[in-house]
Amino acid sequence: MGMIKEFRSFVMKGNVVDLAVGVIIGGAFGSIVNSLVADIITPILLQPALKAAGAEDIASWKPGGLLVGKFIASVISFIVIAFVLFLIVKGMNAAKKKEEAAPASPPEPSTQEKLLMEIRDALKK
């Protein structure tokens, strides 16, 4: 039974639970980014460029029977996804910096500081 207790304490640690939540959210976010790239960015940016080059379906290109076109399409997809993620993270970091840069109200003086200010004001008089 000692091993089960040890396993339970390991699983219930914050690190493991946080990692599990991160993996699940990462998977969901990955599908959002894939959809953004496949359904919005690729048709807007990549399809016109492929049509202009005369290679509308690059994934079906098979010189010598090798699926080189499929590999090239995967590399292009990776680059586009990485760039989109870069832009998303950059935007989030910029928003975070603006939030951190917002001036906070100055802290209220402590009772000791208030007493010292009263003494200073009394000495000035």
Side-chain angles (χ1 to χ4, degrees):
M1 291 302 282
M3 187 178 230
I4 293 174
K5 282 185 178 181
E6 190 176 341
F7 177 72
R8 187 180 317 153
S9 70
F10 168 75
V11 169
M12 296 311 288
K13 282 185 183 177
N15 308 23
V16 176
V17 174
D18 291 344
L19 180 62
V21 169
V23 167
I24 292 169
I25 290 177
F29 187 69
S31 66
I32 291 171
V33 172
N34 285 336
S35 175
L36 173 69
V37 170
D39 301 332
I40 297 173
I41 293 176
T42 299
I44 292 172
L45 298 176
L46 201 53
Q47 292 299 336
L50 290 175
K51 283 182 184 179
E56 292 179 12
D57 189 16
I58 196 168
S60 64
W61 184 43
K62 298 180 193 178
L66 297 174
L67 294 173
V68 175
K70 192 171 183 180
F71 174 73
I72 292 172
S74 295
V75 169
I76 291 171
S77 177
F78 170 77
I79 291 170
V80 171
I81 289 172
F83 185 69
V84 168
L85 280 175
F86 168 74
L87 292 177
I88 290 171
V89 170
K90 185 174 173 131
M92 289 175 63
N93 287 341
K96 197 174 203 179
K97 281 184 183 178
K98 284 181 183 178
E99 183 179 302
E100 290 174 357
S105 60
E108 190 172 315
S110 67
T111 54
Q112 185 179 6
E113 291 172 338
K114 288 179 184 177
L115 281 171
L116 289 172
M117 286 189 277
E118 288 177 14
I119 293 171
R120 179 196 63 201
D121 295 341
L123 289 173
K124 282 184 181 178
K125 291 180 184 178

